Amino acid sequence: MPVASNVTMGEQVRIFYPEMVNIYGCELGDFTQIGPFVEIQSHVKIGQHCKVQSHAFICSGVTIEDGVFVGHGVMFVNDMYPRATTPEGRFQTDEDWELVETVIKRRAAIGSNATILGGICIGENAIVGAGAVVSRDVPAYAIVAGVPARIIGSARERKA
């Protein structure tokens, strides 16, 4: 099931290796590009002119606005208290945990191997450095890096 039939795709979406992805129940905007070994789960919305590099994992509850860059190996998290089982020992179902939503605003860029925790917003034109762990909102135009991610500069000064 590389690209499921329940995926809504805009015009000229490019999935470079459709046999090497797992994409289901999501929306992909016009002219968006998806690299190999990417998983995009249901209830994800990706805007127009986005680029998702290889090995990224975009879980349910993530909204990515237009013109966003998602680097290689970026991981999104949508469960702040993950558990395999309930206290009674049965496997958890959708009723046993709370999905937290994440929003990535227009023209933001997320560097390779960054981890984006659930429930946050990355602002317009913000830049997340490679390997960062983003655990709180990132203001528009901020450049963040580190573990946990901290503001280290401004993207307003950079030609974008």
Side-chain angles (χ1 to χ4, degrees), residues 82-122:
R83 296 280 185 250
T85 61
T86 66
E88 299 79 35
R90 66 176 171 74
F91 281 112
Q92 283 195 343
T93 66
D94 288 345
E95 291 78 40
D96 297 312
W97 66 283
E98 179 184 347
L99 176 116
V100 289
E101 296 183 353
T102 298
V103 176
I104 312 302
K105 296 288 191 174
R106 185 177 167 280
R107 289 187 42 77
I110 303 172
S112 295
N113 291 315
T115 299
I116 313 301
L117 298 185
I120 60 109
C121 176
I122 296 177

Side-chain angles (χ1 to χ4, degrees), residues 1-4 9 14-23 34-39:
M1 179 185 83
V3 180
M9 282 198 259
R14 290 186 66 194
I15 300 173
F16 292 100
Y17 295 94
E19 69 283 0
M20 300 171 97
V21 297
N22 189 22
I23 301 175
I34 308 293
F37 306 109
V38 168
E39 179 166 348

Side-chain angles (χ1 to χ4, degrees), residues 21-126:
V21 297
N22 189 22
I23 301 175
Y24 53 95
C26 60
E27 296 178 29
L28 305 176
D30 297 344
F31 306 102
T32 286
Q33 298 180 1
I34 308 293
F37 306 109
V38 168
E39 179 166 348
I40 304 172
Q41 295 185 326
S42 59
H43 309 295
V44 169
K45 293 181 182 178
I46 298 179
Q48 299 180 17
H49 299 277
C50 292
K51 185 182 253 187
V52 179
Q53 299 290 82
S54 70
H55 299 87
F57 174 72
I58 306 174
C59 56
S60 297
V62 173
T63 298
I64 297 175
E65 294 183 356
D66 296 342
V68 170
F69 175 84
V70 177
H72 300 277
V74 170
M75 295 288 147
F76 287 87
V77 176
N78 64 0
D79 183 356
M80 299 308 290
Y81 303 98
R83 296 280 185 250
T85 61
T86 66
E88 299 79 35
R90 66 176 171 74
F91 281 112
Q92 283 195 343
T93 66
D94 288 345
E95 291 78 40
D96 297 312
W97 66 283
E98 179 184 347
L99 176 116
V100 289
E101 296 183 353
T102 298
V103 176
I104 312 302
K105 296 288 191 174
R106 185 177 167 280
R107 289 187 42 77
I110 303 172
S112 295
N113 291 315
T115 299
I116 313 301
L117 298 185
I120 60 109
C121 176
I122 296 177
E124 187 172 315
N125 287 292

Side-chain angles (χ1 to χ4, degrees), residues 126-137:
I127 299 173
V128 175
V133 175
V134 181
S135 59
R136 64 186 89 154
D137 290 348

